[in-house]
Amino acid sequence: MASNLSRDHPAIFFDSVIDGMDLLREEFSSIRSFDYEPEEKANSLTSGTYWMDLKNGVKARNAIERYIQVVTESNPIPDLSSKVCGAEWWWQQQDFDDEPKEYHTDCDLCYGGESGTVLKYPLMSSVLYCSSVGGPTIVFDQEKIDGDLVPSTPTKYLLSFPKTGRLLLFHGKLYHGVLQCPIPEDQPRLTLLVNWWTERPNGPHDLPPVFDFSNQGADYSVIKRSVSSVGKPVTIARGSYGDDGNEEAINNNMIPNTLKDELSEIGNSVVQVTFRQ
């Protein structure tokens, strides 16, 4: 990958990031078809994600794990592969009548005994779009610290519209969510989500045997890094965050009306909206 996450670039994206996307989508579809529900974990307030160890020479047991290895070895954060111990993964499917994902920061939330609940954050978060429908992911330049957003008002946000094969990467503490957009009844908005951690969180489950496809003869070597450089978002400058109904629309998970004309001309792209301070 030609560029890295940094303080100046807290979110970056790549189009057509890997070769072998067909195999990834095939096994991803098989995994989702099992309708597997993991048991709740003691002391954890988060669940439904799966863990891949990246430190002990573990071979990929399915195409998703091979994809995780490829991104890790690409080091989108300098020396990522030496900093992390593993990654958790899960998926989100938003159907035509579902509400979009609310704003949040990815974290591991668990009981800490006398100290109460304990929050830990991943080093890096990601979204791999597996369909080209639905609303954009929005990533703010804000973190949650002791329950408050810092800074209190964003100076910019990134809108990443779904496009099959597009990979969005961002620092693990950033506030983000999904904006509303019509979804066809026969085609959901589908994303594969991966967080990279320096210390294993409490929430993720070990890979269940039903998700282990390593003995089914697939050649995971076809999943490899594509020759792609970091994408350049289209930049749109605005006045203050509260102008022209922008803040009200965003608070309701809506695309601001003042952006819609420009976005319709840009198409299925990634847009950075900046504000005057």
Side-chain angles (χ1 to χ4, degrees):
M1 294 180 180
S3 187
N4 304 112
L5 287 176
S6 65
R7 182 176 295 276
D8 293 331
H9 300 282
I12 58 177
F13 75 96
F14 301 84
D15 285 335
S16 303
V17 68
I18 61 168
D19 295 329
M21 189 68 185
D22 287 345
L23 176 57
L24 176 59
R25 293 181 69 183
E26 177 184 339
E27 290 201 359
F28 186 26
S29 177
S30 296
I31 285 172
R32 290 188 294 113
S33 71
F34 286 118
D35 197 26
Y36 176 83
E37 288 289 342
E39 296 181 1
E40 293 187 6
K41 296 186 70 174
N43 300 324
S44 178
L45 297 176
T46 56
S47 63
T49 67
Y50 303 97
W51 182 253
M52 181 184 185
D53 193 315
L54 291 168
K55 281 297 186 185
N56 297 313
V58 175
K59 292 184 178 180
R61 295 162 292 180
N62 57 46
I64 293 173
E65 291 195 338
R66 174 57 187 160
Y67 154 73
I68 291 171
Q69 288 177 333
V70 169
V71 176
T72 306
E73 293 163 1
S74 300
N75 290 310
I77 288 179
D79 302 317
L80 175 72
S81 56
S82 65
K83 292 178 179 177
V84 298
C85 67
E88 68 168 327
W89 61 269
W90 71 106
W91 65 88
Q92 288 178 353
Q93 177 173 319
Q94 182 187 351
D95 294 312
F96 75 98
D97 54 353
D98 291 334
E99 291 297 316
K101 183 65 178 178
E102 69 278 359
Y103 300 141
H104 65 285
T105 51
D106 292 340
C107 64
D108 182 57
L109 183 62
C110 60
Y111 295 109
E114 294 181 358
S115 60
T117 56
V118 177
L119 275 174
K120 296 180 180 179
Y121 298 93
L123 181 64
M124 184 175 77
S125 298
S126 72
V127 181
L128 179 69
Y129 299 94
C130 299
S131 67
S132 299
V133 300
T137 304
I138 182 169
V139 182
F140 301 90
D141 66 338
Q142 296 171 287
E143 300 178 5
K144 269 208 168 179
I145 300 177
D146 296 329
D148 296 321
L149 286 172
V150 178
S152 58
T153 301
T155 65
K156 59 185 174 183
Y157 57 72
L158 193 80
L159 296 177
S160 175
F161 285 82
K163 179 182 178 182
T164 299
R166 172 172 290 158
L167 172 63
L168 174 67
L169 302 168
F170 52 96
H171 284 302
K173 288 186 177 182
L174 291 182
Y175 195 54
H176 62 283
V178 178
L179 300 187
Q180 296 186 43
C181 194
I183 297 174
E185 291 192 23
D186 60 346
Q187 187 179 4
R189 181 187 191 274
L190 184 62
T191 52
L192 174 61
L193 309 169
V194 181
N195 287 342
W196 282 261
W197 292 84
T198 58
E199 178 182 344
R200 179 168 178 169
N202 193 53
H205 296 261
D206 290 331
L207 190 78
V210 71
F211 290 174
D212 185 344
F213 298 162
S214 58
N215 293 322
Q216 296 188 16
D219 180 10
Y220 294 135
S221 67
V222 302
I223 299 177
K224 56 188 177 181
R225 186 177 68 179
S226 177
V227 181
S228 62
S229 59
V230 65
K232 294 182 179 180
V234 177
T235 298
I236 299 176
R238 284 290 185 265
S240 70
Y241 181 65
D243 287 352
D244 302 322
N246 178 85
E247 183 174 11
E248 181 181 358
I250 295 297
N251 287 343
N252 288 288
N253 288 81
M254 302 288 291
I255 297 173
N257 287 329
T258 54
L259 285 178
K260 288 182 177 179
D261 288 343
E262 290 172 270
L263 293 176
S264 66
E265 296 177 3
I266 294 168
N268 194 11
S269 188
V270 177
V271 177
Q272 179 172 272
V273 182
T274 63
F275 299 97
R276 184 181 65 247
Q277 297 304 297

